[in-house]
Structures are given as C-alpha cells and as structure tokens.
Amino acid sequence: MKELPGAWLQKACRLLVVFCALHLSAVLFYYLAGNPRSLQRSPEPSPRGLALPRRETPTPRPHNSSEPCPDPSPLLVGPLRVEFSRTVEMKKVEEENSNVRPGGRYTPKDCAALQKVAIIIPFRNRDEHLKYWLYYLHPILQRQQLDYGIYVINQGGEETFNRAKLLNVGFKEALKEYDYNCFVFSDVDLIPMDDRNTYKCYDQPRHLSVSMDKFGFRLPYNQYFGGVSALSKEQFEKINGFPNNYWGWGGEDDDIYNRLILKSMRISRPDATIGKCRMIHHSRDNKNEPNPQRFNQIAHTRETMSLDGLNSLSYTVLKTEHLPLYTKITVDVGSPKS
Ligand code: UDH
Ligand code: NGS
C-alpha cells in the first residue's frame, strides 16, 4: 500500500527534531567540558564593590622579609604637596604613625632594608618645626623602605648654638643604639618635596637639599653643602667627622665641604626637580648670631681637620628620651671658651 505524502512529511519533521536535539546536546556537552567555570557563580563583589580578579595561579607570592628591598622602592609617589599653613597636633602625628617604634625607629616588614639610616637633627627651641618635620618625613622614609631611627640632638643651656658639634654628638650617640651604616644630617626646618629624594647614602657624600624654595629652587653656590646631607659611616670617619669649634651661625657647612674635597671625595646630588624642598620660615634664633671667625676658620680646614672633629669631641649627655616618634638627646656641648 502506498504511503500518503502527509505521513512522509510528518516522519521527516520528527527526524529533523531528533537530529536538532542531538546536535544541541552535543554542542552543550563540548561547551561545558571545555569551560568548567561557566556554571559557577560570577565573582563575588569585594567589600569595596569591585569584582575580584580571577586567580589563574592560586599560589600567592609570599612576603619574605629576608629578601632585599627593591631599589628604587616601588612605594614612591614622586612630587609631594608641602605647606605649613595648618598647625599639626603631635598626638595626631603619633596616631598616624603608630607603626613607628619608640624612639622613632622603623624597619620595613616585607623586605630587608638596603641601609640602616640614623637621621640626626640639630635642635634647640624649634618644637613647631619639629612637628612638621615628623608629620612629613615619617611617611616618606617608610615609603623609601629604610631601616631608620630619628635622633634630635637638643643643645641644653643658654650658650651659643653649635650645629656641627651637635651633629658629631648625634653620630656617636646613634651608634651606641644600633649598627647604623648611613647618617643623614638634617636641619629641622627643611622638608623634601619629592619622595624620590631618598634619605640614604651613596658612593660619594650626598647633598640632598639642592633645590630650596628660599634660593629660587637652585643651589646658592656650587660648594653649598648646608641643609640636608648624607654620609656613610666610612665617609664620616674619613674626614674626622665635623668641626666642633664653629660657634654661632655660618661656615660649618663650608668647612665640611672642604674636608670632603681635601679627602678626595666628590659631592653627589639629585637633580633640581627631585631635590626640591621647602624651608619653614622663621626669624634668627637667639644665641645663634653670625660667627665672626667663620671666614678665617674655613680658610684653614686643611690644617685643622685632623685635630678638630670626632677625635677631639667632648660633651655630656644630660637626658635621653625615647619618645614615640623620635629619640631626644639633651646634651651639654660646652661653650666657645671651654
Ligand atoms: N637650630 C635650632 N635652634 C636654634 C638654631 C638652630 O634648632 O636656635 C637648628 C635647626 O635644626 C636649624 C639648624 O640648626 O634648622 C640650622 O640653623 P641656622 O640658623 O643656621 O639656619 P637656618 O636656615 O636660619 O634655620 C638661617 C638664619 C635665618 C635668618 C632669617 C632672617 N629672615
Ligand atoms: C653662606 C654660609 C653658609 C650658609 C649659606 C647659606 O654664606 O654657612 O651661606 O645660608 N657661609 C659662610 O658664612 C662662610 S642661609 O641663606 O641658608 O642662611 O649655609
């Protein structure tokens, strides 16, 4: 019996449906087999509402504090805004730097710092400036991944100020606390405007405050070595430290420059952009009048440097305080007559 054309059409349609279903299941099977995540939920939003990145390699990089810190530090941000219009509260600065250990000590957690740096600040009656200095410098030094300590050497008594002698005292006293290999000598009123100006030591003595606002962001003269400088322990010892007999303002930094050149060293400096810094304006301090003997003194560094310096340093420590953000050492450095 001959089949009707309608029945053929029905059969053909059924076959087509079966074929399509088979094809679909095959496609679905291969798709799922090749992409196992497709049925998982999409990534959880993180607490900040950002999608978490897919982790193809689930092994996180371990932090190894014995690995040397990279140079330059990856935490640096470059130019910084520095201003002194708002007053800062010491309590707040302390809270913001709660990771700093007593005495102003800090060590990076995730890597081994390349240098152990003692920062020495000559000081008397400049508490307002010191607050700004601590406010700006602690975060910068931490981003620079330095193993550092802050030493404020406070001249006790009312005698004429002696910046260079206080710096010598800082060198000696810091070494009693820790095996520092680099010494940064900084005025209390100078703040760097770029964290790439690293407060560390180099092959040659380093001058850091090369581009100060008060000098129109350039050196006042080529031999200028004042403000902020860095010397390794070896460099400092090679020049017998700094002079002890510059009482009052001026000349001691020129004497230090002479010492370095006389010992065949050169001055290393950052460029004028990275070396930008601001000075906190102030009037002349009492008991720090210009030293009338300074011109005669700097003319004789060659003869005096082996007699006057670390090897002739005498002082008395009156008090040592390990404060939350710095170590304050109050010292009697004597007087011009003594
Ligand atoms: N210093 C003190 N107390 C003083 C004197 C000096 O803490 O009584 C310290 C402080 O760290 C200062 C550094 O020593 O930054 C150098 O002091 P300085 O007086 O030699 O240099 P500074 O650049 O002042 O601070 C220069 C004279 C300012 C005259 C301003 C007139 N407008
Ligand atoms: C020189 C001083 C330096 C002093 C520099 C900048 O004249 O000690 O000026 O001074 N040398 C002599 O006096 C021999 S400043 O403008 O910062 O007060 O650092």
Side-chain angles (χ1 to χ4, degrees), residues 114-183:
L114 301 178
Q115 295 189 6
K116 300 172 192 165
V117 185
I119 298 175
I120 317 287
I121 300 177
F123 185 86
R124 183 159 71 183
N125 293 334
R126 296 274 197 105
D127 293 284
E128 273 310 303
H129 295 183
L130 183 59
K131 272 193 284 181
Y132 283 118
W133 193 95
L134 297 165
Y135 170 77
Y136 281 113
L137 265 296
H138 269 297
I140 293 175
L141 298 168
Q142 286 163 39
R143 289 201 298 277
Q144 293 179 347
Q145 297 191 309
L146 300 168
D147 180 6
Y148 70 82
I150 310 295
Y151 295 86
V152 172
I153 314 301
N154 178 38
Q155 181 169 338
E158 301 297 321
E159 275 298 344
T160 305
F161 196 70
N162 190 330
R163 176 176 180 268
K165 188 168 184 180
L166 291 169
L167 299 177
N168 277 341
V169 172
F171 174 86
K172 282 250 178 184
E173 290 301 310
L175 279 175
K176 288 180 187 167
E177 291 208 335
Y178 190 51
D179 182 24
Y180 292 106
N181 51 21
C182 173
F183 297 81

Side-chain angles (χ1 to χ4, degrees), residues 87-320:
T87 52
V88 293
E89 294 289 322
M90 187 62 112
K91 265 268 145 290
K92 242 183 135 221
V93 185
E94 286 174 6
E95 278 163 23
E96 283 167 9
N97 291 284
S98 53
N99 49 349
V100 172
R101 305 198 301 281
R105 294 291 322 280
Y106 175 84
T107 311
K109 279 195 313 291
D110 298 335
C111 57
L114 301 178
Q115 295 189 6
K116 300 172 192 165
V117 185
I119 298 175
I120 317 287
I121 300 177
F123 185 86
R124 183 159 71 183
N125 293 334
R126 296 274 197 105
D127 293 284
E128 273 310 303
H129 295 183
L130 183 59
K131 272 193 284 181
Y132 283 118
W133 193 95
L134 297 165
Y135 170 77
Y136 281 113
L137 265 296
H138 269 297
I140 293 175
L141 298 168
Q142 286 163 39
R143 289 201 298 277
Q144 293 179 347
Q145 297 191 309
L146 300 168
D147 180 6
Y148 70 82
I150 310 295
Y151 295 86
V152 172
I153 314 301
N154 178 38
Q155 181 169 338
E158 301 297 321
E159 275 298 344
T160 305
F161 196 70
N162 190 330
R163 176 176 180 268
K165 188 168 184 180
L166 291 169
L167 299 177
N168 277 341
V169 172
F171 174 86
K172 282 250 178 184
E173 290 301 310
L175 279 175
K176 288 180 187 167
E177 291 208 335
Y178 190 51
D179 182 24
Y180 292 106
N181 51 21
C182 173
F183 297 81
V184 172
F185 303 97
S186 175
D187 283 358
V188 73
D189 50 13
L190 281 174
I191 311 293
M193 296 171 72
D194 193 309
D195 63 7
R196 290 171 295 176
N197 194 2
T198 307
Y199 276 39
K200 67 167 188 176
C201 290
Y202 291 76
D203 285 350
Q204 295 295 323
R206 183 84 163 173
H207 184 220
L208 292 105
S209 52
V210 298
S211 180
M212 284 161 64
D213 57 350
K214 77 164 172 176
F215 298 132
F217 295 110
R218 52 195 183 76
L219 283 176
Y221 51 96
N222 277 342
Q223 296 81 0
Y224 178 61
F225 198 64
V228 189
S229 57
L231 273 74
S232 70
K233 188 168 179 249
E234 291 70 33
Q235 290 161 357
F236 189 82
E237 284 171 343
K238 202 167 168 185
I239 59 168
N240 190 24
F242 294 167
N244 297 306
N245 57 4
Y246 281 74
W247 297 91
W249 180 88
E252 83 296 343
D253 47 354
D254 304 309
D255 190 288
I256 295 165
Y257 175 87
N258 289 346
R259 287 175 181 232
L260 296 170
I261 299 304
L262 286 163
K263 287 288 173 187
S264 306
M265 289 185 262
R266 286 174 286 111
I267 307 301
S268 135
R269 289 188 168 110
D271 68 38
T273 306
I274 289 180
K276 279 174 105 175
C277 53
R278 276 202 199 291
M279 197 190 87
I280 310 169
H281 287 282
H282 60 90
S283 46
R284 193 174 287 286
D285 306 273
N286 288 332
K287 294 295 217 171
N288 196 25
E289 303 308 324
N291 169 12
Q293 287 159 29
R294 65 190 188 284
F295 299 106
N296 184 45
Q297 287 180 297
I298 57 172
H300 294 95
T301 310
R302 188 191 293 275
E303 301 94 84
T304 53
M305 68 180 288
S306 60
L307 307 167
D308 173 31
L310 267 185
N311 63 357
S312 62
L313 177 64
S314 77
Y315 61 94
T316 311
V317 171
L318 302 175
K319 192 175 182 185
T320 300

